[in-house]
């Protein structure tokens, strides 16, 4: 088995393979493209190193067996190529194997941060690895080690915390849970996005992180150290810039810091067409990216052109052969260390099509994570826990919608909605991804909505999404599940002012993608006025409201908080909604502590450690039943 190989043996093996590769075969290894853009024959003809699924890009009917068949065909083609090097297939399994129907969907990272439980993180990563392996896939673009510092950023929910030490405490465990000892239960991890993605000014996705090197290292680089020590095999470059220079072309950050100073032995993959923004001319971007230190290129469609340009650059001396050799050695190092050469075809691997995919046992781990991630912000007169015999009205647009409770990066890139309500205001300004824009109507298979979880333990509960039924029943309390609807990446940004984009665009030399934002304000009542209406429909009848907020970030909640008797931040809990009822009805106590500071006003941006730190709720805040305030 490969895990028994010493580093020296791995490198001997790498050298032996290198001896037999010509330039085309080497360049092929440096290419990763999207499954929609390539068929198995082309993988074989061009010696392609990797194929990926972009968010929501799925084969056939999107069941594990469809994935295994697809990967089997790609694998077969790769080993039949002249170089015979097996390809690796990459996915964004960032909160469970979230593209696939029937997968166990865990809370997004923001909720996991509130658990303060590194051991459970390792277990979550291990369960995710097995569900990934069930589909014949070897590589996930996770964990995200972003340290989000501005909640206007649409990717805040992918961040465990605003606090680098908390992110760091999960980073190694996540990698260990995914990679194990590179035996049958392991997948390859990918730390992302290197580096400073969570620090952009105004929280603009892919924007500019304007901070000193000291701050970059202390806040954004720090969580990578334990993950690298744990042996993470790949790192993804980030779309953002650092003080005006794009990370994808940043030789100092990619080569000098990551590879040389931090001694990273694996390979760096670009983000989705991430080098395109280095220059207006695609041909030039190829040389800039390779020379800066990117080893494998995630090229969504133009992989033929990429190969053509890179070959020319080498032949004409703009890219040194030694740089190509370094990139390919790194890719082969990862493949040998992972043991891909010894693995049988995907269909014959230990976990392929395994029935543990989406199983009750796996879902129990997710349900535990839901319970531990809930943060109790208010509990007036000890209204919680509720009695199971109580007459409860369940309301709010997010009460019975598994798609909404899973958030973005679930089945579709932008997430799915079980209800008729869909975001139609989303448009793509420069034809960004081949993925679907906007929230798709669609179902999450398996799992339980928050409403169904409540109904299971509280037979007297009724459902009325807008809360209007409150007037004709004799209810003891209402549970109102409100908040954001799904979004991903830049489409989740809050942009209060378009000038910010213009200003930041010029800071990064005019090259920037601009996506329509989620909204113009962090104030919940301005984003979603229907939520307060649902609460009022209940409280106006003299019925106390327990509010459960689903959101990818702390929002400004003054009005909703005042109107409620109890208030729970549930983040984006994923498929196992029963975890919410488990705690509301007292079978379990609240354990969650805020992993982000909760601001009072949207003009504030306090972080733990700041002078004059006066937020609404501080970092680490969280009530429970045991310690009555
Ligand atoms: C995201 C990455 C992701 C990649 C592949 C990009 O848009 O920034 O986080 O891994 O797509 O889907």
């Amino acid at each position: 088995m490969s895990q028994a190989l010493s580093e020296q043996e791995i490198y001997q093996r790498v050298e032996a393979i290198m001896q037999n590769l010509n330039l085309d075969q080497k360049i092929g290894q440096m290419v990763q493209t999207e499954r929609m853009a390539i068929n198995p024959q082309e993988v074989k003809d061009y010696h392609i190193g990797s194929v990926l699924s972009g968010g929501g890009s799925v084969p056939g009917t999107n069941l594990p067996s469809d994935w295994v068949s697809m990967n089997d065909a790609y694998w077969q083609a790769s080993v039949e190529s002249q170089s015979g090097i097996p390809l690796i297939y990459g996915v964004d399994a960032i909160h469970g194997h979230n593209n696939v129907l029937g997968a166990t969907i865990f809370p997004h990272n923001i909720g996991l941060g509130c658990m303060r439980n590194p051991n459970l993180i390792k277990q979550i990563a291990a369960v995710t690895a097995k569900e990934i392996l069930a589909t014949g896939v070897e590589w996930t673009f996770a964990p995200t080690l972003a340290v989000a510092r501005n909640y206007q950023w649409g990717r805040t929910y992918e961040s465990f915390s605003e606090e680098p030490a908390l992110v760091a405490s999960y980073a190694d465990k996540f990698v260990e849970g995914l990679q194990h000892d590179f035996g049958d239960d392991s997948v390859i991890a990918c730390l992302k996005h290197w580096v400073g993605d969570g620090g952009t000014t105004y929280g603009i996705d892919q924007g500019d992180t304007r901070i000193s090197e000291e701050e970059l290292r202390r806040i954004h680089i720090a969580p990578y150290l334990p993950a690298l020590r744990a042996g993470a095999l790949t790192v993804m470059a980030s779309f953002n810039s650092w003080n005006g220079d794009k990370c994808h072309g940043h030789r100092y950050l990619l080569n000098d810091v990551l590879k040389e100073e931090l001694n990273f032995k694996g390979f760096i993959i670009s983000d989705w067409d991430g080098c395109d923004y280095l220059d207006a001319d695609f041909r030039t971007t190829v040389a800039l990216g390779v020379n800066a230190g990117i080893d494998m290129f995630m090229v969504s469609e133009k992989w033929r052109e990429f190969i053509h340009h890179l070959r020319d650059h080498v032949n004409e001396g703009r890219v040194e052969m030694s740089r190509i050799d370094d990139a390919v050695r790194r890719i082969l190092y990862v493949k040998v260390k992972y043991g891909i050469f010894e693995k049988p075809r995907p269909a014959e691997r230990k976990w392929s099509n395994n029935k543990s995919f989406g199983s009750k046992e796996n879902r129990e781990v997710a349900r535990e994570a839901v319970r531990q991630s809930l943060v109790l912000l208010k509990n007036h007169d000890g209204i919680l826990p509720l009695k199971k015999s109580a007459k409860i009205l369940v309301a709010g647009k997010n009460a019975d919608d598994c798609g909404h409770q899973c958030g973005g990066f679930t089945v579709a890139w932008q997430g799915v909605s079980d209800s008729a309500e869909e975001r139609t205001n989303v448009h793509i300004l420069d034809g960004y991804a081949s993925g679907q824009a906007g929230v798709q109507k669609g179902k999450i298979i398996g799992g339980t909505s928050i409403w169904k979880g409540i109904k299971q333990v509280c037979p007297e509960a009724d459902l009325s999404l807008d809360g209007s039924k409150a007037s004709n029943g004799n209810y003891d309390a209402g549970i109102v599940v409100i908040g954001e609807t799904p979004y991903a990446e830049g489409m989740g940004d809050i942009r209060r002012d378009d000038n910010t984009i213009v200003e930041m665009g010029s800071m990064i030399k005019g090259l920037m993608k601009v996506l329509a934002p989620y909204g113009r304000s962090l104030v919940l009542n301005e984003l979603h006025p229907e939520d307060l209406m649902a609460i009022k429909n209940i409280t106006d009848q003299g019925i106390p409201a327990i509010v459960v907020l689903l959101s990818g970030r702390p929002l400004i909640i003054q009005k909703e908080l005042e109107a409620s008797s109890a208030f729970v931040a549930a983040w984006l809990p994923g498929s196992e909604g029963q975890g919410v009822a488990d705690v509301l009805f007292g079978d379990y106590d609240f354990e969650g502590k805020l992993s982000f500071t909760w601001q009072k006003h949207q003009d504030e941006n306090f972080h733990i450690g700041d002078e004059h730190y006066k937020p609404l709720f501080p970092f680490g805040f969280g009530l429970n039943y045991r310690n009555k305030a």
Side-chain angles (χ1 to χ4, degrees), residues 49-69:
S50 177
V51 175
L52 91 149
S53 276
S57 174
V58 298
T61 54
N62 193 15
L63 295 172
S65 54
D66 297 306
W67 284 78
V68 172
S69 311

Side-chain angles (χ1 to χ4, degrees), residues 219-230:
I219 296 188
H220 301 280
I221 291 181
Y224 283 80
L225 306 183
L228 292 170
R229 278 197 297 271

Side-chain angles (χ1 to χ4, degrees), residues 20-328:
N20 298 318
L21 298 181
N22 62 30
L23 180 60
D24 285 347
Q25 292 164 344
K26 288 177 182 172
I27 291 176
Q29 284 302 303
M30 294 171 69
V31 174
Q32 179 189 65
T33 190
E34 218 284 333
R35 54 172 284 279
M36 302 284 282
I38 197 157
N39 61 38
Q41 185 63 42
E42 290 163 331
V43 164
K44 177 175 169 184
D45 293 347
Y46 292 86
H47 333 284
I48 298 295
S50 177
V51 175
L52 91 149
S53 276
S57 174
V58 298
T61 54
N62 193 15
L63 295 172
S65 54
D66 297 306
W67 284 78
V68 172
S69 311
M70 172 185 72
N71 280 309
D72 225 36
Y74 281 133
W75 179 89
Q76 182 70 36
S78 67
V79 297
E80 282 174 3
S81 70
Q82 283 164 3
S83 68
I85 302 171
L87 93 172
I88 48 177
Y89 196 97
V91 294
D92 289 297
I94 64 170
H95 64 142
H97 196 4
N98 41 249
N99 274 316
V100 187
L101 283 179
T104 304
I105 307 296
F106 292 90
H108 268 298
N109 288 351
I110 192 168
L112 300 183
C114 296
M115 305 187 312
R116 303 291 202 279
N117 189 342
N119 292 332
L120 187 52
I121 286 293
K122 185 168 175 179
Q123 209 186 339
I124 288 169
V127 169
T128 303
K130 284 185 190 149
E131 296 210 359
I132 294 170
L133 290 165
T135 62
V137 171
E138 300 94 1
W139 182 18
T140 174
F141 309 126
T144 302
L145 299 181
V147 180
R149 304 290 282 186
N150 187 320
Y151 309 150
Q152 288 176 221
W153 190 33
R155 306 190 79 158
T156 299
Y157 65 75
E158 293 183 56
S159 172
F160 293 118
S161 176
E162 73 179 37
E163 227 299 282
L166 177 46
V167 181
S169 74
Y170 283 6
D172 49 352
K173 298 289 180 190
F174 209 116
V175 171
E176 287 163 20
L178 291 175
Q179 294 191 165
H180 297 286
D181 54 358
F182 302 114
D184 288 342
D185 299 354
S186 78
V187 297
I188 299 167
C190 182
L191 315 179
K192 70 185 188 184
H193 308 82
W194 178 264
V195 63
D197 48 355
T200 63
T201 307
Y202 307 120
I204 295 173
D205 188 44
Q206 309 183 1
D208 192 11
T209 296
R210 284 194 263 162
I211 54 176
S212 68
E213 179 159 354
E214 184 278 325
E215 190 173 341
L216 186 75
R217 285 177 181 267
R218 179 168 43 84
I219 296 188
H220 301 280
I221 291 181
Y224 283 80
L225 306 183
L228 292 170
R229 278 197 297 271
L233 285 182
T234 68
V235 173
M236 188 184 292
S238 189
F239 276 124
N240 67 277
S241 306
W242 179 39
N243 295 329
D245 293 320
K246 293 221 141 270
C247 288
H248 275 82
H250 215 298
R251 195 175 156 81
Y252 174 69
L253 290 176
L254 298 172
N255 186 71
D256 302 3
V257 177
L258 180 57
K259 291 181 179 172
E260 288 182 1
E261 183 188 321
L262 300 179
N263 204 19
F264 172 57
K265 300 279 180 236
F267 69 82
I268 301 178
I269 177 144
S270 80
D271 202 338
W272 180 278
D273 294 332
C275 290
D276 284 20
Y277 301 87
L278 297 176
D279 191 278
D281 170 39
F282 181 62
R283 185 180 174 82
T284 305
T285 68
V286 174
L288 290 173
V290 179
N291 286 333
I294 305 274
D295 303 305
M296 185 184 275
F297 291 75
M298 191 189 289
V299 182
S300 67
E301 289 169 9
K302 294 180 287 188
W303 56 270
R304 285 171 198 273
E305 291 92 320
F306 175 90
I307 290 172
H308 174 79
H309 294 325
L310 187 51
R311 192 191 301 123
D312 282 357
H313 286 315
V314 174
N315 288 334
E316 292 161 22
R318 285 179 298 274
V319 172
E320 300 271 341
M321 197 58 210
S322 58
R323 177 71 267 275
I324 300 291
D325 285 343
D326 173 51
V328 178

Side-chain angles (χ1 to χ4, degrees), residues 162 556 558 597-619:
E162 73 179 37
I556 307 303
Q558 214 164 326
T597 301
W598 205 298
Q599 320 293 350
K600 203 180 288 172
H601 307 291
Q602 69 167 336
D603 293 323
E604 294 170 344
N605 194 18
F606 287 120
H607 292 297
I608 172 93
D610 288 353
E611 262 185 74
H612 313 298
Y613 181 71
K614 278 203 201 95
L616 180 64
F617 297 109
F619 178 88

